[in-house]
Amino acid sequence: MQVADNTVVQFNYTLKSEDGQVLDTNVGNTPLAYLHGHNGMMEGLEKALTGKEEGESFSVTLTPEEGYGERRDDMIQRVPVKHLQGAKKWKAGMMATVHTEQGERQVTVAKVGKFMADVDMNHPLAGLTLNFDLEVVSVRAATEEELAHGHAHGEGGHHH
């Protein structure tokens, strides 16, 4: 079966920087699962996986626009330190969680003062060209429940 809309895809990935440094991988762990065509996967990866079959391995390079977008300077915001969650003492470069009008959001602490902190709300990989090595582990038709919920269930997917 080929990867197409309304299929559940399980895959392994290794994400590398432009210079070949491994940034993330799930190889050796449970394959990642998603419902193809339902906005549950980065658009560039979903496009690259379309038409692939179980057992195929390939590499794809995503531009920032196809990945996490370009870095935006307007995504740096000043917030009260008391609103940062995840540690008691903060330093630049640390990851924190803040509550926003859109819900919880992970941010990178850019600068910390006594009462205020500058946080970067860009995704940590925004602005980077991303190189993925991908292996399609399985492809199957989605169940009615998965289609109704808009995501994959089972191993590597969403658990209710």
Side-chain angles (χ1 to χ4, degrees):
M1 175 177 265
Q2 286 189 330
V3 175
D5 287 353
N6 301 326
T7 60
V8 172
V9 182
Q10 284 191 308
F11 69 98
N12 290 318
Y13 70 92
T14 298
L15 170 61
K16 298 177 186 174
S17 62
E18 284 186 279
D19 63 5
Q21 177 185 351
V22 174
L23 302 174
D24 193 17
T25 186
N26 76 326
V27 174
N29 295 310
T30 303
L32 199 61
Y34 77 99
L35 179 58
H36 194 83
H38 289 259
N39 299 318
M41 182 54 54
M42 188 183 318
E43 188 176 339
L45 271 187
E46 193 167 75
K47 184 177 174 185
L49 285 159
T50 300
K52 301 294 190 225
E53 295 183 355
E54 185 173 314
E56 279 193 66
S57 294
F58 63 100
S59 297
V60 63
T61 298
L62 302 182
T63 64
E65 296 80 18
E66 296 169 310
Y68 292 101
E70 292 288 352
R71 292 194 59 74
R72 293 179 31 202
D73 291 337
D74 64 337
M75 296 291 283
I76 308 289
Q77 296 188 3
R78 183 159 285 175
V79 299
V81 171
K82 67 182 180 183
H83 289 262
L84 300 178
Q85 297 178 343
K88 292 186 192 266
K89 211 155 175 46
W90 294 101
K91 295 179 184 170
M94 294 176 74
M95 299 300 286
T97 301
V98 295
H99 290 283
T100 70
E101 292 173 0
Q102 292 80 34
E104 284 191 358
R105 182 144 186 181
Q106 194 171 30
V107 298
T108 303
V109 176
K111 187 169 116 180
V112 184
K114 188 171 183 176
F115 300 107
M116 301 296 284
D118 291 347
V119 297
D120 185 348
M121 298 180 85
N122 284 292
H123 188 282
L125 300 176
L128 299 180
T129 296
L130 306 174
N131 298 297
F132 285 92
D133 294 331
L134 301 166
E135 174 198 10
V136 180
V137 175
S138 70
V139 182
R140 65 171 174 78
T143 65
E144 289 300 320
E145 184 180 38
E146 288 170 323
L147 292 172
H149 291 185
H151 55 250
H153 293 167
E155 189 176 32
H158 187 78
H159 300 278
H160 288 277

